[in-house]
Amino acid sequence: MRHSFDDDGPRPTPNLWLRGAGILVAALVVSGIAGSLRGPEAVVASGVSVGPMPEIQGLEHRLNAAQSALEVERTKNTRAEAISRFSTAYQIPADLTAAIYDNALNAGIDPALGFQLVKVESGFRANARSSAGALGYTQLQLPTARTYEPWVGESDLVDPNTNLRIGFRFLRELIGRYHGDVRLALLAYNRGPSRINEALAYGDDPDNGYSRAVLHHRPKMPGKK
């Protein structure tokens, strides 16, 4: 059966929502108490103002901790939902989905772009190898990989996290080099920056269809319209 990324995915478990709601209630209670105790600064006999009382400082500390814990729960929930949706959309295992998602975020690229890149480059096959010697999920060539991590060998490039980490880092650098133009960055990823720069210098369009293949039908991130 064909799956759509926009279909309703799994929802957070009741326990997760209850934990988040509990943390939020605690945060509101602490906030209310802190607000009731807050008032004009205490004034000593000499007339010199002093800072908030230790009790208020302690309440503020607990409030901040509660808010931080709630934010952590929200982040975990967003990640779990995204991994579930991408896994369904591409029909790939959850562990591979998580590796692509996390490495894309760490590299600073849209995870949806990362998934499409891996799909087009390797069909989600860790042992993919091109006639030019490009390896792994993101089809890295060893010289390119060594510009980022000089110690890597061919065997390292079939390791999922190593391959994804370096491949996505390379793509992010290209996006920056072409001033946010994802189309040109993808073409440079596929053809090499020197060829793209040469074509642009002569006023030619370097497009070979690769960028459309990656960007076409790119699934949306959870929560995006």
Side-chain angles (χ1 to χ4, degrees), residues 159-177:
D159 171 71
N161 281 304
T162 301
N163 189 283
L164 293 167
R165 180 178 67 249
I166 300 176
F168 289 161
R169 184 180 172 187
F170 178 39
L171 177 59
R172 181 66 187 88
E173 181 182 295
L174 290 172
I175 293 173
R177 187 182 303 182

Side-chain angles (χ1 to χ4, degrees), residues 12-223:
T13 62
N15 287 339
L16 183 57
W17 281 116
L18 288 174
R19 289 175 61 193
I23 293 172
L24 179 59
V25 170
L28 293 173
V29 171
V30 173
S31 178
I33 295 173
S36 66
L37 291 179
R38 191 186 303 275
E41 291 181 328
V43 181
V44 297
S46 62
V48 178
S49 297
V50 298
M53 293 183 295
E55 291 84 353
I56 294 179
Q57 291 178 330
L59 288 171
E60 289 179 339
H61 176 74
R62 290 194 291 274
L63 172 60
N64 291 335
Q67 291 173 332
S68 297
L70 181 57
E71 187 59 35
V72 168
E73 292 296 328
R74 287 173 177 165
T75 301
K76 288 180 179 179
N77 182 51
T78 298
R79 178 180 181 273
E81 181 181 357
I83 289 172
S84 176
R85 285 179 176 265
F86 279 122
S87 180
T88 299
Y90 289 105
Q91 293 292 284
I92 56 177
D95 57 345
L96 174 57
T97 307
I100 296 172
Y101 181 82
D102 291 340
N103 278 287
L105 286 183
N106 289 337
I109 67 172
D110 183 348
L113 177 61
F115 278 95
Q116 280 294 104
L117 180 79
V118 175
K119 176 186 177 182
V120 171
E121 286 289 341
S122 65
F124 299 103
R125 292 179 294 116
N127 61 350
R129 185 183 187 113
S130 74
S131 58
L135 297 165
Y137 288 122
T138 63
Q139 289 293 276
L140 278 172
Q141 292 190 342
L142 191 57
T144 300
R146 282 180 171 168
T147 63
Y148 298 96
E149 298 183 11
W151 53 86
V152 299
E154 285 194 359
S155 60
D156 297 307
L157 294 185
V158 297
D159 171 71
N161 281 304
T162 301
N163 189 283
L164 293 167
R165 180 178 67 249
I166 300 176
F168 289 161
R169 184 180 172 187
F170 178 39
L171 177 59
R172 181 66 187 88
E173 181 182 295
L174 290 172
I175 293 173
R177 187 182 303 182
Y178 291 100
H179 309 290
D181 191 324
V182 176
R183 184 184 77 93
L184 284 180
L186 287 169
L187 291 173
Y189 188 98
N190 176 249
R191 300 184 60 190
S194 60
R195 290 182 179 178
I196 302 306
N197 295 340
E198 182 179 0
L200 294 174
Y202 282 100
D204 297 330
D205 185 356
D207 192 6
N208 63 352
Y210 176 81
S211 61
R212 290 192 299 275
V214 174
L215 297 174
H216 188 56
H217 295 314
R218 180 167 41 150
K220 298 175 183 177
M221 280 286 290

